[in-house]
Amino acid sequence: MMEKKTLVEAIQYQEERFTKKILFQKGDSVMFMLNFMPGQQLPAHKHPGADVFILALKGNGIINVNDVEQDLAEGDVIHLTGDESFSYRNNGHQPASLHVVISKVPGPAYTQEIS
């Protein structure tokens, strides 16, 4: 059954720390927003066995993937494999929000042809 939500509900900032607001969680897949005030950051981490898709919805920052830093500007979209270590820092002067989808990579049982 279809579910509908608005991104506005998930864009909430806190002075103390970044926020994570889950929009959908179905099986091994999850969609959420990460919201950062200037200077806030997401520590380096991995999502083994998954694909990670990130849309920089608002603001600008720096994403570090396997110790390589690059700008992540509003409107940029990236894909990471779960084995890549990444972190994010809002280095701008405005709040930033990242729309994130983490999807489990199908195992061998899912990739076999159905006869």
Side-chain angles (χ1 to χ4, degrees):
M1 180 156 85
M2 187 193 91
E3 291 181 64
K4 180 182 173 184
K5 298 187 179 181
T6 65
L7 291 179
V8 174
E9 297 170 6
I11 298 176
Q12 300 174 22
Y13 303 101
Q14 290 183 3
E15 292 292 337
E16 306 80 47
R17 64 181 305 273
F18 76 90
T19 64
K20 176 182 178 180
K21 301 294 179 184
I22 294 176
L23 290 159
F24 297 105
Q25 188 158 12
K26 305 291 178 190
D28 292 327
S29 298
V30 62
M31 175 188 290
F32 55 90
M33 295 292 298
L34 294 175
N35 304 291
F36 303 86
M37 293 295 287
Q40 292 177 340
Q41 58 188 5
L42 176 69
H45 66 289
K46 297 179 180 183
H47 292 280
D51 280 311
V52 181
F53 302 92
I54 301 172
L55 162 64
L57 191 66
K58 292 179 69 170
N60 300 300
I62 299 287
I63 191 157
N64 184 316
V65 180
N66 292 333
D67 297 321
V68 177
E69 278 194 357
Q70 53 185 305
D71 292 331
L72 187 64
E74 189 171 303
D76 287 348
V77 181
I78 62 171
H79 166 253
L80 303 164
T81 64
D83 295 327
E84 293 179 286
S85 176
F86 69 97
S87 63
Y88 174 83
R89 182 176 76 254
N90 178 353
N91 68 341
H93 300 291
Q94 301 295 322
S97 292
L98 304 179
H99 178 258
V100 182
V101 175
I102 299 175
S103 180
K104 182 100 170 151
V105 177
Y110 293 100
T111 57
Q112 295 175 356
E113 284 190 34
I114 300 173
S115 49

